[in-house]
Amino acid sequence: MTEPPQPRCFHGVMSMSISDAEIFDRWLNKSGEYGGIVPPHLASKLMVGGRFVMKFLPTETCMQTIVRRIAPDEALALGTAVLAKLGELVPEDDIAPPRRVLKAVIGAGFLNMSPAIVRLEIVDRNAGECEFRISTLAKEGFIFKQNTAPKAVERVTSELRTLIGLYQ
């Protein structure tokens, strides 16, 4: 059995789409609400500072591809199940064949507390194979790197491999 390929990761400041920035904003607001440390009337004022800082943090991306013999509809169902189990699905319009795209926010990094945006693209290949293209986007600190994006890719790929193994 061959060793699975290592994910390709890229570091640096990257521009995010508006929707990705909004997703990070929502996650940041939720974490402030659930933290319970700050009273609710002060939380919104502090979140403005968090949003401001997040704009300047470097963005890390990581990608990995898995090719398996599986029907496209089963692949879409498995991808949806994996992302729903690991995090919160984000509505996406592009689920029409031959490329189906799912998006979610999952926790990764230290204790799975840092948000990572996962984009799972399912491409129908010939001969009954599907290609899972997993790409992640995460913000990293300037000093302490949590490797959030690679850890998010690893969480998704290991869960996908487990579920695919159960169905084959």
Side-chain angles (χ1 to χ4, degrees), residues 17-143:
S17 69
I18 293 172
S19 62
D20 290 340
E22 289 171 358
I23 291 170
F24 277 123
D25 274 351
R26 273 191 274 137
W27 183 279
L28 189 62
N29 285 334
K30 278 187 181 177
S31 63
E33 291 170 10
Y34 296 137
I37 299 170
V38 179
H41 65 281
L42 292 178
S44 62
K45 293 179 176 109
L46 292 175
M47 290 305 140
V48 172
R51 284 186 208 121
F52 178 75
V53 170
M54 232 173 177
K55 290 179 185 177
F56 298 104
L57 288 176
T59 303
E60 182 180 84
T61 62
C62 195
M63 293 179 254
Q64 189 163 6
T65 302
I66 301 173
V67 178
R68 293 289 189 262
R69 183 174 298 281
I70 188 170
D73 293 333
E74 290 179 34
L76 183 63
L78 283 175
T80 303
V82 165
L83 293 182
K85 179 181 178 182
L86 296 177
E88 180 182 329
L89 282 168
V90 176
E92 193 69 30
D93 297 332
D94 192 11
I95 57 170
R99 300 175 93 163
R100 298 171 167 113
V101 179
L102 301 169
K103 198 183 248 188
V105 180
I106 70 169
F110 182 69
L111 296 176
N112 294 331
M113 293 182 67
S114 297
I117 298 174
V118 178
R119 184 176 185 268
L120 177 61
E121 185 176 351
I122 301 165
V123 180
D124 187 12
R125 297 175 63 175
N126 50 1
E129 288 184 338
C130 278
E131 182 177 344
F132 295 90
R133 294 179 186 163
I134 304 145
S135 58
T136 59
L137 182 73
K139 292 292 196 175
E140 286 290 347
F142 289 114
I143 299 170

